[in-house]
Structures are given as C-alpha cells and as structure tokens.
Amino acid sequence: MTLARGTVARYAVGSVGTGGFGTLPGLVLVFYLTDTLGVAAGVAGLLVTAAKVWDVLVDPVIGAASDRERATTGRRRRLMVAGGVALPLFFLLTFAVPAGLAPAASALWVLGAFLLAATAFSLFQVPYIALPAEIAGTYDARTRLLTARVVVLSAAILLFGGGGPALRELGGDDERLGYLVMAAAAALVLGAAMLVSSTVERSAGALAAPTGDPAPGHHVLTHYRDGVALLRTSRPFRTLLAAFVLQALATGAMLAAAQYVATWVLRDTAAVTFLFVALVGPALVCTPLWGRVARRVGKERAFGLASAVFLVAALALVGLAWAPGAWVYVPVAAAGGAYSGMQALPMAMLPDVIAHDARTRGTGRAGTFGGVWTAGETTGMALGTTLLTAVLAATGYVASTDVQSVTQPASAVVGVVAGFSVVPALLVALSLVPLARYPLRRADIDDDGGGGDTVGGEKSDPTDTTGRAPTTTAQENP
C-alpha cells in the first residue's frame, strides 16, 4: 500500500498538537507552580502526577471507545475532533490562575484545569496512535509515516519549547500575564493541528476493519482487563512499552529540569530557549537519518544505538555541577540527535506490533494498544517530573511567588544538575534491558510466505480468532 504525500502530511501535522502539549507543560508547568504560584516543589510534582494518573485510568476506556467507533463506522475521527475542540480551552485555563489566590487554592485550580486538558488530549492522542497500523500496510511504509511524524514532532518541540518561554517574556514584569499570553497562542496552534490531522482517514482510506469483536462488553473494568491482557499475552508490546516508558521517565525529568538549569545553573532564564534549540535542532536533521539506519540494520537495533548515544550525552552533562557554561550545548545537541531516534523508532515499531497482533490473533485491538501506550507514555513523562521534584525537595529547593526573590542553596543547584543528567542517564540504561528482549524483526512483519507469521523463527496461526494466545508463538514466552 503506497502512502500519498497528503496522507503522510496530514498524519504528521497531528504531532504539532501532541508534541506541543507534551513539551510546554512539561517544561514550564512545575516551574509556574513553584516560582510563580508559590507551591512547594513536592506538592507541584504530586499535582502533575495526579493528572497523569488520571490518564492511566481514562486512556484504556478511550481506547476501547475508539475501537468500537472503528468497528461500527470504519473511522476513529469523532474522538479526535472532540479532543481538538476541547483542549485549547482547558489548556488556557491551566495558566489563567487569578491573582491573589493562596498557593493551595492556586494548586487546586491548576489541578482541575490540567485534568480536563489531559482528558481532551487523550481523546485525540489515543486514536491518533492507533492509526498507522490502519493507514500504512507494510514495515517500511510505517517507518516512512512515523519518521515524518517525528520530524514534525521535533519541530513542534522546538516551536513550543523555544517559542513558549519567549512568548512568556512578553508579559514583562507581570509573570502571570506572560504565562497567559503564552497559553493563548499555544492553545490556538494545538487545536488547529489536531483538527487538521483528524481528517487523515478521509484522505487516506484505511485498511479493512478486522472482523473480530474489538471491544466485547461495555463495563469499565472490561477495558482495564483488556489492557492487562495485552501486556500479559504480547511479549513484543510488553518489552517495547517497558523500554519506552523508562525513556519517557528520563526525558520527562530532563525536560522539567531545563528551566531550572537555565535559571539556577546558567543564571539566565532566557537560556532555556537556547537549550531547546540545541536539543531539537539536531533532531530535525537526524530523524531521517535514523530512518535510514533502521532500514539498514532494523528498527530495534537502531533504537538501541540511539539510546546508547543519549545515555553518554546525558552523563556528560554532570560537568555542569562544577563548570557551568556554553559547552553544555554540545552534549545537549548530541542528546537531541539521539532523542529523535528514541522517538521515531519505537513509534514506528508500535504499528508493527499492532499489525502482527491482528494477523496472529484475528482481533482488532489497535485502540486498546493506543490507550495502554498513551497511558504508559504520559505516566512516564509525569513521573519523570515527579522524580525531578523529589530530587529538588530532597536537596532543599526553595519555592517562591512572582513577587518574591530567593537564593537557592548549593545543594539545590546540585539537585537540578542531577535531575538533568544522572537521573535520565540511569533510566535510559535501565531501558536497554527490556529492549534487548524485543522479539520482532522485519521478517516477522513482512512475511511473504502466506502461511502465517513468525516470531523468533516459530510459526503462529493467523486463523485463531478466539482471542486466546496461539500456543506456538514465541511472543507468549515470558
């Protein structure tokens, strides 16, 4: 199945929305809470985590609803449109805390608005992740589709990560006004990108909907059982998700630490923009290169290589504790080039996992896969932020409001550096363990033999539509 350029473009533009929402709150929300609203670092981390725990609860339900919509209408568009319409409003409200509220009341305002924004985001993101397996039919077509997506994702991270703080500065001495201007501009771009991408099925068509029942039963517990069943029965999904979540923890911690590094280590709040240019600029160049590496050596090996490069670059940033300076942009740029591979490659591997599952089981569970994946990704990013705030709290970080001036103890500055370097490096090192157990290779995805698919050299039965695990498939091995 050949992908039209318009299809690739419409799908990729959705990553302006997903990248923007994933980047900007991760970069500035905790800093907004601790250094503008006066919320203690530990409490700020718990608030962001609470919103992402909600994602874990709601994403599998949205995934099952998306599968039902796909089975009955042949599309996943309605939920995507609902998310694109609702997200801008709730995103704006997150940064519209009225002046004069006490820190506790301000924290509750942010929590409520961000919970609603996260729900709207999931309405778009869960079906969006499920689409590649349905609009791209081969191993290489999915690599092309997801490579284009990550190029746009990298540009979105640069746009929101660099442009967001710059827009915030338009408020001058009024920090709250600056955050409101930033949120309003970002909200418009987020909503527009999501609505454009929601039309991709109409332009592309889709692979035939599966004949199995994608979501038997409507009780909420059924959706969670379906998600647990994916993890239990699909070794490819289990290992890929574990590696990706650990890396989301790493990038979440590094992302949240960037503003603190700019403010308290480099002593220049505007430096966060340059950090993002250094991080994301190389990604725009390197993402297509990782696609070429994947075609040559396989996605899983390229993913491991990108992770190793990121690990080494993150460790190099430890030197900030002793010698902060412009040299930091060199290892940050290396990490950025590697990060593009850490995003593009697992995203290209997920549709392979979904397609392989559909062929070997005969059931349509793409939305459920998308729900569990989104829950894992957002939880990893949030817990990365929580991990950073725990390090800050343990090292004595002092919270403040927009009308206060504080000096951080040396221990807190060391904590900021650790959250930006050591913590991400350790988490990426751990991610290499499950990645080494990922079993699918190109031959398992593009099998021309016509007699079923293979995993690790063993045949599986594509005619099994019972929902039970085929007994001879290596993906069932623990």
Side-chain angles (χ1 to χ4, degrees):
M1 179 179 183
T2 302
L3 287 174
R5 290 182 179 179
T7 299
V8 175
R10 289 188 189 210
Y11 184 76
V13 79
S15 282
V16 173
T18 62
F21 186 78
T23 298
L24 198 52
L27 176 64
V28 302
L29 185 56
V30 170
F31 193 77
Y32 174 61
L33 287 163
T34 61
D35 285 51
T36 297
L37 304 181
V39 179
V43 175
L46 289 175
L47 290 179
V48 175
T49 301
K52 298 308 181 180
V53 168
W54 171 247
D55 279 343
V56 174
L57 297 176
V58 75
D59 285 352
V61 178
I62 293 173
S66 180
D67 279 342
R68 285 197 298 272
E69 181 187 355
R70 161 76 167 148
T72 57
T73 70
R75 308 287 184 193
R76 298 184 185 273
R77 184 168 184 255
R78 286 183 294 187
L79 292 178
M80 297 172 71
V81 170
V85 170
L87 178 61
L89 172 63
F90 298 132
F91 186 81
L92 180 62
L93 286 175
T94 301
F95 293 95
V97 178
L101 286 185
S106 298
L108 289 176
W109 176 291
V110 171
L111 175 62
F114 195 56
L115 277 174
L116 293 171
T119 303
F121 176 70
S122 291
L123 289 174
F124 175 84
Q125 170 82 340
V126 171
Y128 179 71
I129 285 177
L131 285 177
E134 297 165 353
I135 62 177
T138 67
Y139 182 93
D140 286 331
R142 294 177 198 124
T143 301
R144 178 189 171 206
L145 184 67
L146 273 299
T147 297
R149 176 191 169 187
V150 174
V151 170
V152 175
L153 178 67
S154 299
I157 292 172
L158 180 60
L159 173 67
F160 285 88
L167 286 173
R168 181 184 57 189
E169 298 303 315
L170 295 178
D173 293 334
D174 189 341
E175 292 183 11
R176 292 171 186 261
L177 176 61
Y179 277 108
L180 194 59
V181 170
M182 176 200 75
L188 290 174
V189 177
L190 291 171
M194 290 178 172
L195 291 176
V196 169
S197 191
S198 69
T199 65
V200 67
E201 287 175 304
R202 187 173 60 200
S203 67
L207 303 182
T211 57
D213 182 1
H218 297 279
H219 194 281
V220 66
L221 292 180
T222 300
H223 308 319
Y224 302 126
R225 286 196 294 267
D226 290 345
V228 172
L230 287 182
L231 295 173
R232 187 182 68 251
T233 62
S234 177
R235 177 183 166 191
F237 184 65
R238 185 169 64 244
T239 53
L240 182 61
L241 181 64
F244 193 70
V245 168
L246 284 167
Q247 294 191 0
L249 278 166
T251 54
M254 182 175 276
L255 181 67
Q259 182 69 74
Y260 292 94
V261 169
T263 302
W264 298 111
V265 180
L266 300 178
R267 299 292 177 176
D268 180 6
T269 57
V272 68
T273 297
F274 298 107
L275 285 173
F276 261 83
V277 170
L279 180 67
V280 182
L284 294 173
V285 176
C286 292
T287 298
L289 298 180
W290 286 117
R292 294 178 186 174
V293 173
R295 285 190 290 274
R296 181 177 294 272
V297 304
K299 298 176 192 177
E300 69 291 338
R301 293 186 180 90
F303 186 18
L305 178 60
S307 303
V309 173
F310 184 93
L311 191 161
V312 172
L315 283 177
L317 294 169
V318 174
L320 282 170
W322 297 279
W327 65 266
V328 67
Y329 299 115
V330 175
V332 167
Y339 174 71
S340 65
M342 291 163 56
Q343 287 289 299
L345 296 164
M347 287 179 184
M349 292 158 73
L350 177 63
D352 294 338
V353 171
I354 295 172
H356 182 268
D357 178 82
R359 286 207 305 271
T360 56
R361 291 180 167 277
T363 56
R365 304 192 292 177
T368 304
F369 275 104
V372 176
W373 182 269
T374 301
E377 178 183 10
T378 54
T379 300
M381 291 291 288
L383 291 181
T385 301
T386 304
L387 195 55
L388 173 69
T389 57
V391 171
L392 295 180
T395 53
Y397 188 86
V398 180
S400 62
T401 66
D402 54 330
V403 296
Q404 293 175 314
S405 178
V406 300
T407 300
Q408 298 297 340
S411 60
V413 176
V414 171
V416 169
V417 173
F420 194 62
S421 57
V422 176
V423 171
L426 289 175
L427 289 168
V428 170
L430 287 174
S431 75
L432 296 176
V433 176
L435 180 57
R437 294 174 56 82
Y438 178 77
L440 295 182
R441 301 295 183 265
R442 180 190 297 271
D444 303 318
I445 308 304
D446 291 340
D447 179 18
D448 295 325
D453 298 304
T454 63
V455 180
E458 295 187 30
K459 287 284 183 180
S460 62
D461 181 5
T463 64
D464 180 6
T465 58
T466 64
R468 295 188 299 270
T471 57
T472 62
T473 304
Q475 78 179 62
E476 305 303 322
N477 296 334

